[in-house]
Amino acid sequence: MGWKIVIADDEAPAREELSFLVGNMSEVETVVVATGGMDAIKKVRETKPDLLFLDMDMPDLNGLQVAELVGELDPRVKVVFSTAYDQYAVNAFKLRAFHYILKPYDDEDVEAVFRELRQVSQKESGGGGDTGALLREQERQGQPQPQTACVKLALELEDGIKYVSPKDIVYISKEGKHVQVHTWDQAYEVAYTLQDLEGKLGPYGLFRCHKSYLVQLESIAEMKSWVNGAYNLVMNDTVHSKVPVSRNYVKELRLKLEI
């Protein structure tokens, strides 16, 4: 059974655009729209959704008021605030917002929400978990630990093949059609797509922080605020490279980085 979604927004064009983008997600079973705050509460009661996209500025009840009431009504509903204004972000996360996206929406905004929903759903269903914690518990109990294979990424160069360990990759960038793998002191242009590398290297600490960048989590030294809710990462390579973080990836990145 797929996910049930409610979208609450008093502006029809915004509702229709978000409904279209959300409806393209393969796991979505139903999308129900609400035209205001009270209507949103009614639709939540009726449909018991997994996810509620909630506009912040509505004429009857604002998004924060609706979120508080929905939290009392059904705390399992995950709330995504969708608004044209980023000044509400702090109050939104005080109400344990699942995500926060800014208008105008695009595919990347929606995909970031559903990527996080997939991860959380997997953990809640018992399919995920902290592998590091599991290994530490096995070690504490004297249980044998699985052996980690010595894997390397093969980079085809003009004079042969160079093998690079995932931990030695600081970040990966895409500019136009060109993808480059950046190590501590050198960059290599590769024939892989960014999607290929995300699939290959995701299990080894490479994280997508922007539509054009993957970063090695262990190589991040600082995260500095930039504009419109976005950030820049300072990497700990020899030139202290700066890598952008789209606002939609900030929360997920912080969850991965911080204890």
Side-chain angles (χ1 to χ4, degrees):
M1 183 177 292
W3 290 320
K4 298 177 182 177
I5 313 297
V6 171
I7 295 172
D9 197 312
D10 62 313
E11 297 179 351
R15 286 197 308 269
E16 292 168 3
E17 176 65 14
L18 190 52
S19 295
F20 172 77
L21 294 171
V22 168
N24 285 336
M25 297 293 106
S26 60
E27 301 96 332
V28 171
E29 178 184 341
T30 59
V31 179
V32 174
V33 298
T35 58
M38 292 303 297
D39 193 27
I41 294 170
K42 177 175 179 287
K43 296 294 171 54
V44 167
R45 282 199 184 102
E46 292 173 351
T47 64
K48 301 188 184 330
D50 301 285
L51 204 63
L52 169 63
F53 284 88
L54 191 56
D55 183 34
M56 195 67 80
D57 188 16
M58 293 184 289
D60 50 356
L61 293 175
N62 67 40
L64 294 174
Q65 291 171 318
V66 175
E68 192 167 0
L69 291 170
V70 168
E72 296 173 0
L73 179 67
D74 189 349
R76 296 173 304 168
V77 177
K78 296 175 175 61
V79 175
V80 177
F81 287 101
S82 53
T83 178
Y85 309 101
D86 61 2
Q87 68 264 31
Y88 295 112
V90 172
N91 287 331
F93 286 113
K94 282 182 180 178
L95 287 173
R96 298 186 180 277
F98 180 70
H99 222 293
Y100 189 98
I101 60 177
L102 293 177
K103 299 176 181 177
Y105 315 120
D106 58 27
D107 292 336
E108 184 181 333
D109 295 330
V110 175
E111 176 56 39
V113 173
F114 281 90
R115 182 172 52 253
E116 186 172 348
L117 181 58
R118 290 181 198 109
Q119 293 174 346
V120 170
S121 298
Q122 185 180 30
K123 289 179 181 178
E124 289 177 349
S125 65
D130 185 343
T131 303
L134 176 60
L135 293 177
R136 289 192 293 273
E137 180 63 17
Q138 289 177 340
E139 184 177 17
R140 186 182 68 81
Q141 295 180 1
Q143 297 178 18
Q145 299 178 34
Q147 295 298 311
T148 302
C150 181
V151 295
K152 294 180 183 289
L153 180 68
L155 307 180
E156 295 189 12
L157 309 179
E158 290 183 358
D159 57 349
I161 298 175
K162 182 176 182 64
Y163 292 99
V164 177
S165 172
K167 65 182 178 60
D168 292 330
I169 297 172
V170 178
Y171 69 99
I172 300 170
S173 63
K174 178 185 177 184
E175 186 171 344
K177 295 183 179 180
H178 303 288
V179 175
Q180 287 192 324
V181 172
H182 301 260
T183 62
W184 302 103
D185 57 1
Q186 199 164 347
Y188 303 91
E189 188 167 320
V190 297
Y192 298 108
T193 67
L194 204 64
Q195 289 75 18
D196 288 339
L197 293 173
E198 183 178 17
K200 289 176 179 290
L201 299 172
Y204 303 99
L206 272 291
F207 172 82
R208 182 184 284 272
C209 62
H210 184 278
K211 64 182 179 181
S212 300
Y213 288 88
L214 305 175
V215 292
Q216 172 59 261
L217 296 173
E218 291 187 0
S219 297
I220 296 172
E222 297 180 65
M223 185 161 68
K224 296 186 175 182
S225 58
W226 192 35
V227 293
N228 295 328
Y231 285 77
N232 277 325
L233 298 174
V234 179
M235 310 304 292
N236 62 3
D237 55 358
T238 56
V239 294
H240 304 295
S241 300
K242 291 183 173 59
V243 175
V245 184
S246 299
R247 62 177 184 265
N248 295 314
Y249 295 94
V250 171
K251 182 183 177 184
E252 187 178 351
L253 177 61
R254 291 193 61 178
L255 287 172
K256 287 184 175 293
L257 284 176
E258 299 172 11
I259 298 174

